[in-house]
Amino acid sequence: MRTTFKAIALAISGISITSLALAQGPNIDYDKIQIISQQLAPNFYTFTGSPNLDPGHPEAAGGRIGVLVGSEGVLLVDATYLPLSDKVADAIKEVNPGPVRFLVDTHYHPDHTGGNPSFVKTGALLFAREEVRDALMQPLPPATLAVIGKAASFTDPARLPTVTYGPGSPVKIYFDGDTIDLIPLRAAHTDGDTMVRFEKADIIMVGDFYRNYGYPFIDVTRGGSFKGVLEAVDVLLQNAGPNTKLLPGHGTVTTRSDVEAYRDMILDVQSRILQMIREGKSIQEVLAAKLTVRYDSKVPGGATPLPIGVGTSADRFVSSLYTELKSGK
Ligand SMILES: [Zn+2]
């Protein structure tokens, strides 16, 4: 138990763990991963990696991809790991002759941006937040690089967004008969999150601030916050109708009622942590109180130890929420 707390303390102080991306490590056998395609609307598909091959994401390797198709070509949301690019390109060819004209990054993590160079080099115009470009330009420490391995290229100029935008109004792309809204979010999962709404397909690519595999996760090294997650959840609920399909970066296709339950869970755990902070409790005492226990049966992967040695996804969630609330930000 002591090791767990020590590791969590390290993780929340940002010393050893910079993001969930680090969980992916060089142990992924990319050759074994298949791309699973699912059609969700006449003009829209989503791709996920096969399960049980990515220790950081056992439910589906890499990050989820969104694929809008039509007579003008393809618009992609996220590009998963770099070594999967050929398989992703093959899966696209199965549903549309192409070309891939646009690519949008929901945030900078390598399980979402690793494949950027592959699609940029074949002609895609890459859109992302300015914060994503900035994050992708930062040199990574050797230890981080060693863990991430070949998930992404950190030197190829084609990894960088061509068109960037800030946290203001949505960017609209009119393409293939649909209207695509790139909705910037305040610091939530990271400081550069975008939610992508397809108006006609009635689909939202949520990004990673909402997930239904494991508990909420924020990247504090890049400005993530639970305050921002709750704001982003409100923006999502404002944009989602009763039948809108919501596609998280990790987890299954879902609807707004699940997102409402997610918000209520965060608010409940938050109020319990605040109460314990008022009582002067330490992080060890808060973790020992197992504040998420009533939700564990409904959160797949929530109580399973993470591969990066920081306890469970529930421990990571409670630790970083405690740190944020204690800081009073
Ligand atoms: Zn992420």
Side-chain angles (χ1 to χ4, degrees):
M1 214 47 175
R2 194 172 301 145
T3 325
T4 303
F5 291 143
K6 200 170 157 194
I8 289 168
L10 275 174
I12 59 184
S13 64
I15 291 166
S16 64
I17 308 295
T18 60
S19 80
L20 180 68
L22 302 197
Q24 285 129 23
N27 299 324
I28 301 173
D29 187 350
Y30 294 103
D31 289 345
K32 284 195 182 146
I33 297 172
Q34 300 300 313
I35 302 298
I36 299 157
S37 173
Q38 187 184 4
Q39 185 170 18
L40 295 179
N43 62 339
F44 193 95
Y45 294 79
T46 184
F47 297 164
T48 47
S50 30
N52 304 318
L53 291 169
D54 178 355
H57 309 109
E59 79 288 3
R64 176 189 294 282
I65 294 178
V67 191
L68 179 78
V69 298
S71 58
E72 298 168 64
V74 175
L75 179 147
L76 278 190
V77 178
D78 285 345
T80 196
Y81 298 123
L82 180 63
L84 300 179
S85 290
D86 286 346
K87 291 177 185 176
V88 173
D90 288 346
I92 293 169
K93 281 192 205 107
E94 294 279 318
V95 297
N96 188 276
V100 179
R101 297 267 310 276
F102 300 101
L103 169 61
V104 183
D105 290 340
T106 59
H107 63 291
Y108 83 96
H109 288 155
D111 51 327
H112 301 262
T113 60
N116 279 357
S118 313
F119 298 100
V120 167
K121 282 174 188 167
T122 53
L125 192 57
L126 175 51
F127 282 70
R129 293 278 297 277
E130 181 66 21
E131 292 84 351
V132 170
R133 188 178 163 93
D134 181 62
L136 292 175
M137 285 175 75
Q138 301 301 321
L140 288 172
T144 306
L145 268 178
V147 177
I148 291 180
K150 55 188 175 181
S153 164
F154 302 96
T155 52
D156 192 333
R159 76 193 183 287
L160 300 173
T162 306
V163 183
T164 66
Y165 47 93
S169 309
V171 173
K172 283 181 178 277
I173 302 176
Y174 299 91
F175 184 60
D176 274 340
D178 211 327
T179 302
I180 303 105
D181 306 304
L182 314 186
I183 302 170
L185 303 162
R186 212 183 70 91
H189 177 63
T190 69
D191 63 356
D193 292 2
T194 294
M195 190 169 86
V196 185
R197 178 179 175 214
F198 298 84
E199 294 186 9
K200 186 174 157 199
D202 201 13
I203 283 168
I204 296 177
M205 290 286 292
V206 173
D208 281 9
F209 71 83
Y210 167 84
R211 62 177 55 219
N212 56 18
Y213 187 92
Y215 280 96
F217 167 61
I218 56 166
D219 180 349
V220 288
T221 69
R222 286 298 309 187
S225 74
F226 287 104
K227 192 176 172 199
V229 166
L230 289 167
E231 283 181 23
V233 163
D234 285 343
V235 175
L236 175 55
L237 292 172
Q238 283 156 22
N239 279 278
N243 301 316
T244 308
K245 294 186 176 79
L246 309 179
L247 280 58
H250 306 285
T252 54
V253 176
T254 186
T255 57
R256 57 174 294 139
S257 58
D258 294 311
V259 177
E260 285 163 353
Y262 181 82
R263 177 194 58 195
D264 294 346
M265 181 277 294
I266 297 174
L267 289 172
D268 176 43
V269 174
Q270 176 170 286
S271 74
R272 289 165 195 274
I273 293 176
L274 278 171
Q275 178 61 32
M276 292 189 78
I277 289 174
R278 278 194 291 270
E279 290 164 6
K281 305 287 192 203
S282 68
I283 180 63
Q284 285 82 1
E285 289 170 309
V286 172
L287 285 170
K290 299 284 174 206
L291 300 179
T292 61
V293 75
R294 75 195 57 207
Y295 303 104
D296 287 349
S297 65
K298 290 178 232 147
V299 180
T304 317
L306 295 166
I308 40 177
V310 293
T312 65
S313 159
D315 293 335
R316 181 176 62 182
F317 164 54
V318 170
S319 303
S320 38
L321 186 50
Y322 175 89
T323 305
E324 181 175 322
L325 294 170
K326 193 133 202 219
S327 78
K329 276 188 212 150

